[in-house]
Amino acid sequence: MKRYSVFAIAREALRYHTGWERAWRSPQPKKEYDAIIVGAGGHGLATAYYLGKNHGITNVAIIEKGWLGGGNTGRNTTIIRSNYLQDSSAAIYEKARSLYETMSQDLNYNVMFSPRGVMMLAQTHHEVRGYLRTAHANKLQGVETEFITPQRVKELCPILNIDGPRYPVLGALWQPRGGTGRHDAVAWGYARACSAMGMDIIQQCEVKGVRSENGVVKGVETTKGYIGCKKLGIVVAGHSGQVADMAGFRLPVEAVALQALVSEPIKPCMDVVVMANTVHGYMSQSDKGEMVIGGGTDGFNNYTQRGSFHHIEETLRALIETFPMISRLKMLRQWGGIVDMTGDRSPIISKTPLGNCFINCGWGTGGFKAIPGSGWAMADLMAKGEPGPLAAEFDMWRFKEGRFIDESVAAGVAH
Amino acid sequence: MLLIECPYCGVKAEETELSPGYEAHLKRFGPGSTDEEFEAYMFARKNPKGVHFERWRHAYGCGKWFLAARCTATLEVFGTYPAQVGEPPADIIEKIKARRPDWKGYK
Ligand SMILES: Cc1cc2nc3c(=O)[nH]c(=O)nc-3n(C[C@H](O)[C@H](O)[C@H](O)COP(=O)(O)OP(=O)(O)OC[C@H]3O[C@@H](n4cnc5c(N)ncnc54)[C@H](O)[C@@H]3O)c2cc1C
Ligand SMILES: [Zn+2]
């Protein structure tokens, strides 16, 4: 793999850009691998990357039914933050956020991580109390956040209307090192690095069945034939229930649609990310100038990657009091992704009833920010067969045992 | 937009008139049940990609809960029926079989 650098750009500029190589290979599957990861989204690719980088396991295939990064990883609104309430959540999201800080250098790929600051508005007294509590928890967890006044909110984001008659801004939970990143680049950067380590990324190949004997996985049936493996990692987000079903177990997960939309591009007007959870909406401005807007999930089981139009209307209606300027904006594009929601709105990184099969899912509406931390923890679990400290509490049996990691109070909304 | 007929008032209601209520025909477990039963009832939903039996409420109409059979992969609605039944009625099952010959059946 040739390194990307300023010298490479200069060199290629002098020879009509004929020397750029493909970022990753497109190989045919081998008969067997030490590990197979199903799903080439951010979490699957990051898992493979850290299997190679941290554990020296490189005889790995990542199998993807569509194109890599074409699932939720390429459909999200890219908010990165780690201001969670529960200790186990804060630990893994902060690990991920800190890995984002150096990801471009680590992968030699510009993922455009932009720590522009994330604020979560408090628009009811209940939220003020909630965020004060989270700010205190974050202090103890070593996550840098602060509860700020409405005046400071207005300074940081002048287009906000803080005196709304219905939902005045009473303060905000501010994480100055939160922000956004380029979602495709995260998938592409990991893919390029995995391919360079000799891993096979097999696209347009759907896993149709899981072959196991005596509680041990032998391999997977795919649209490109049977592929054997010593270890299997299932990292398929919205389709986790289906693939778990092939492996013979049921997950406490439901698939629903989550939508987002962007406006026409306008001049820079907002350089922070704002989330307004009471009204179920959030917004940031992309480098192209579009206002990137998201809301809550649609309310019924859905695998179609498209949501209901009226949810978009609801999101915009809710945001207009807080951002009056968007009332005149034209919205350009809208899309949906299928998110995997668990009962406590926290993810699952877990062993399964099959000895050598592991699952990573349940990131729901908020897993882009977690990609590097989740991949790190999942690689650890797959390499050692036992979870490390980051993953320990996220096992799938917590629902049976009543050990919930209840973030739904603090983060029940999309983000 | 989903159009679902309320079996009580016969209105073909738009989605904005309805509130979704997720999986139907859950068997409820209470005190004295095992952890497995309780988990299954509380969290382990069927979550199929395909035929799904689910609850809806005609929230801005008659206000009543009813049940619907719908495909989660295409959003096709096969039919609706009152909430006071323990299992999907035979005519709904027939309708689904006609539309989805490879459907594995209810349960
Ligand atoms: C509209 C929207 C906005 C969001 N906003 C944010 C945000 O601002 N911040 C944030 O942190 N998170 C956000 N999220 C959530 C985030 O996108 C996801 O949690 C995250 O991308 C999940 O990554 P993943 O790798 O697990 O899944 P995916 O990227 O969905 O990857 C799973 C892959 O598995 C493949 N697959 C499925 N079944 C099979 C099979 N049988 N065989 C082979 N391959 C298969 C799929 O094709 C897919 O490519 C948002 C999500 C949506 C939909
Ligand atoms: Zn009715």
Side-chain angles (χ1 to χ4, degrees):
Chain A
M1 179 182 84
K2 285 191 201 150
R3 278 187 71 76
Y4 293 150
S5 68
V6 63
F7 304 107
I9 293 175
R11 185 185 69 226
E12 293 307 324
L14 294 175
R15 55 176 189 188
Y16 301 101
H17 294 281
T18 51
W20 298 116
E21 52 187 14
R22 281 184 183 274
W24 50 81
R25 295 168 296 113
S26 291
Q28 285 305 308
K30 292 190 238 168
K31 278 215 169 59
E32 201 191 33
Y33 292 90
D34 289 342
I36 286 182
I37 311 287
V38 189
H43 289 258
L45 290 162
T47 300
Y49 176 71
Y50 293 113
L51 270 178
K53 186 177 178 203
N54 294 355
H55 304 282
I57 302 171
T58 55
N59 182 19
V60 174
I62 306 124
I63 300 181
E64 167 57 50
K65 76 174 159 121
W67 65 95
L68 70 87
N72 294 343
T73 299
R75 294 164 186 270
N76 73 88
T77 47
T78 78
I79 298 176
I80 297 168
R81 61 183 183 89
S82 60
N83 51 352
Y84 283 75
L85 180 65
Q86 310 295 343
D87 289 348
S88 34
S89 316
I92 193 162
Y93 286 105
E94 177 59 13
K95 171 77 181 171
R97 200 206 55 78
S98 65
L99 286 168
Y100 266 116
E101 297 251 7
T102 51
M103 190 185 284
S104 294
Q105 290 80 357
D106 185 32
L107 297 179
N108 179 232
Y109 203 98
N110 186 1
V111 300
M112 295 163 74
F113 175 58
S114 163
R116 58 184 67 185
V118 172
M119 64 167 82
M120 296 166 77
L121 301 180
Q123 293 176 291
T124 62
H125 287 286
H126 179 75
E127 264 186 316
V128 170
R129 280 195 297 273
Y131 288 145
L132 279 169
R133 182 180 174 207
T134 305
H136 294 319
N138 290 163
K139 285 229 163 55
L140 295 172
Q141 295 150 345
V143 175
E144 191 198 340
T145 62
E146 190 191 341
F147 190 81
I148 57 175
T149 61
Q151 288 66 38
R152 181 97 176 96
V153 168
K154 185 79 183 167
E155 275 164 36
L156 285 163
C157 186
I159 64 168
L160 263 173
N161 171 24
I162 59 171
D163 311 313
R166 186 149 179 219
Y167 295 115
V169 173
L170 306 173
L173 182 64
W174 170 239
Q175 183 170 26
R177 295 300 290 177
T180 59
R182 171 83 202 276
H183 48 14
D184 297 322
V186 172
W188 297 339
Y190 276 125
R192 175 167 168 266
C194 287
S195 183
M197 282 191 276
M199 298 180 181
D200 289 351
I201 304 168
I202 301 159
Q203 303 184 68
Q204 308 289 335
C205 178
E206 182 170 356
V207 169
K208 294 283 208 182
V210 175
R211 205 186 279 179
S212 62
E213 271 167 35
N214 308 322
V216 176
V217 171
K218 297 286 169 192
V220 289
E221 314 283 355
T222 77
T223 46
K224 294 192 178 174
Y226 174 77
I227 312 174
C229 66
K230 300 206 175 77
K231 287 180 180 181
L232 182 67
I234 302 171
V235 196
V236 293
H239 282 81
S240 299
Q242 272 55 57
V243 182
D245 193 44
M246 296 172 200
F249 58 95
R250 191 183 283 188
L251 283 174
V253 162
E254 281 189 277
V256 294
L258 176 66
Q259 305 180 75
L261 65 157
V262 291
S263 73
E264 59 189 329
I266 54 173
K267 291 259 166 65
C269 64
M270 162 183 202
D271 61 0
V272 295
V273 179
V274 176
M275 305 176 61
N277 288 351
T278 291
V279 297
H280 270 228
Y282 57 90
M283 191 162 93
S284 65
Q285 189 168 23
S286 78
D287 296 336
K288 287 184 277 184
E290 303 156 328
M291 306 311 288
V292 182
I293 298 172
T297 54
D298 287 17
F300 53 85
N301 300 57
N302 190 349
Y303 284 89
T304 63
Q305 287 189 332
R306 60 172 195 264
S308 308
F309 190 71
H310 71 269
H311 274 272
I312 297 198
E313 197 185 349
E314 265 165 35
T315 301
L316 291 173
R317 196 165 58 211
L319 281 176
I320 280 177
E321 176 183 310
T322 310
F323 294 99
M325 53 92 72
I326 68 168
S327 69
R328 303 293 294 277
L329 268 185
K330 293 188 187 71
M331 297 301 156
L332 278 196
R333 287 182 292 123
Q334 156 275 346
W335 64 91
I338 299 306
V339 295
D340 41 339
M341 307 295 280
T342 62
D344 61 1
R345 300 294 184 263
S346 286
I348 292 171
I349 308 173
S350 181
K351 302 206 269 187
T352 69
L354 296 166
N356 56 344
C357 174
F358 305 89
I359 187 138
N360 180 333
C361 68
W363 294 97
T365 60
F368 174 71
K369 63 178 71 63
I371 284 172
S374 154
W376 185 289
M378 180 70 174
D380 210 34
L381 171 64
M382 285 188 69
K384 297 181 184 149
E386 291 296 327
L390 283 178
E393 312 225 345
F394 292 102
D395 66 277
M396 62 185 265
W397 290 284
R398 69 176 186 269
F399 297 93
K400 191 173 72 188
E401 294 163 10
R403 290 181 282 110
F404 310 119
I405 304 169
D406 195 351
E407 289 291 349
S408 48
V409 190
V413 85
H415 40 97
Chain B
M1 175 160 308
L2 280 175
L3 288 176
I4 305 181
E5 187 173 308
C6 172
Y8 300 109
C9 48
V11 169
K12 232 181 170 37
E14 284 192 358
E15 204 181 323
T16 47
E17 221 174 294
L18 303 162
S19 331
Y22 295 92
E23 190 175 319
H25 304 302
L26 289 178
K27 181 160 167 32
R28 284 168 178 72
F29 287 90
S33 317
T34 64
D35 287 353
E36 284 73 16
E37 285 166 338
F38 214 64
E39 184 200 21
Y41 154 48
M42 292 287 283
F43 300 107
R45 295 290 174 267
K46 289 187 181 132
N47 190 31
K49 184 173 184 172
V51 180
H52 189 231
F53 296 92
E54 59 195 16
R55 308 190 311 149
W56 287 86
R57 195 165 82 86
H58 195 187
Y60 297 102
C62 65
K64 288 184 185 150
W65 283 102
F66 63 90
L67 307 180
R70 185 180 60 90
C71 176
T72 61
T74 63
L75 305 189
E76 177 176 356
V77 180
F78 303 109
T80 55
Y81 50 102
Q84 289 78 7
V85 294
E87 287 206 353
D91 59 322
I92 300 267
I93 299 275
E94 282 318 307
K95 265 190 211 157
I96 300 171
K97 281 187 178 153
R99 299 283 301 152
R100 297 280 185 282
D102 55 350
W103 178 53
K104 296 210 181 67
Y106 175 68
K107 282 249 148 79

